[in-house]
Amino acid sequence: MRLRELPALPRKMHLWIRLPNWLGDVVMTLPLLRALRASRPDAEITIIGKAQFRVLLETWEIADCFLPVPPKGFGYFRYFWKLRGRFPDCYLLFTNSVRSDLEALFTGCPQRFGILRCGQLRPFLTHTFTPKADFDETPLTNYRFGSNFSATSASLSPPVGFHEPPPRRRATQISH
């Protein structure tokens, strides 16, 4: 960068991230989003989510662009079809629905990633991350999912007060 007198890496990769629809789930993804921002300075990050999350995300300075999800109804998927001209390279989905998978498909993004939970079909994704069958489903799934996109474990700090669940113990019998 010094040789070319650039203040920062040019952001050539267009990384789009679809947030969950619930505030608690969005808050749980913030450390991963921060880690992706830190570990991928070459990426232009666009966040797609509910309009009420915009202020929270702008405060964290995680993304270069925020696109609000349109209201459901006529023209919903047409909104995503019109986004094709922005040419996203990679689309990460933290949602768990066919609707959001179709959103990603309609943008024309060639790489669409999501978490594949047991017994679920996600035919519109190009890549899936499958948690281990014996994995206790917690928000930590998002951190492990994020490690597949160069978010290093050092930059993936869980939210304040959040810790790995303790190992499960066998139930002990109490005798009287």
Side-chain angles (χ1 to χ4, degrees):
M1 291 186 322
R2 285 186 208 135
L3 185 64
R4 294 181 182 228
E5 298 179 5
L6 295 174
L9 282 174
R11 294 191 173 160
K12 295 187 177 194
M13 181 199 185
H14 300 278
L15 175 61
W16 287 23
I17 301 170
R18 176 60 160 92
L19 291 179
N21 291 320
W22 298 98
L23 178 60
D25 294 337
V26 170
V27 170
M28 295 304 291
T29 64
L30 289 175
L32 173 58
L33 296 174
R34 189 176 63 227
L36 286 170
R37 169 77 293 155
S39 63
R40 293 302 308 261
D42 63 316
E44 177 186 274
I45 297 178
T46 298
I47 300 284
I48 302 164
K50 288 186 173 182
Q52 58 261 42
F53 302 146
R54 172 179 251 145
V55 174
L56 172 68
L57 296 164
E58 287 175 351
T59 301
W60 279 65
E61 299 178 351
I62 294 169
D64 301 298
C65 180
F66 181 87
L67 298 174
V69 175
K72 293 178 183 172
F74 183 73
Y76 182 85
F77 289 112
R78 187 174 353 159
Y79 171 81
F80 291 96
W81 182 264
K82 289 180 179 180
L83 294 174
R84 295 172 81 80
R86 294 192 180 193
F87 305 104
D89 297 309
C90 183
Y91 206 117
L92 306 181
L93 293 109
F94 291 109
T95 53
N96 197 23
S97 70
V98 173
R99 175 184 288 272
S100 57
D101 295 354
L102 282 169
E103 294 169 8
L105 178 70
F106 287 158
T107 65
C109 186
Q111 297 183 68
R112 301 174 300 279
F113 296 81
I115 297 172
L116 184 63
R117 289 173 173 83
C118 182
Q120 184 182 37
L121 294 175
R122 298 192 74 181
F124 303 114
L125 298 181
T126 59
H127 300 80
T128 57
F129 170 78
T130 305
K132 293 180 182 178
D134 63 344
F135 182 67
D136 183 20
E137 188 74 27
T138 65
L140 285 174
T141 302
N142 285 339
Y143 303 123
R144 292 189 177 96
F145 173 53
S147 67
N148 290 291
F149 303 100
S150 299
T152 62
S153 59
S155 62
L156 283 174
S157 57
V160 174
F162 185 79
H163 305 284
E164 281 270 0
R168 291 188 175 181
R169 295 185 222 174
R170 286 181 144 174
T172 56
Q173 289 187 323
I174 300 173
S175 54
H176 297 288

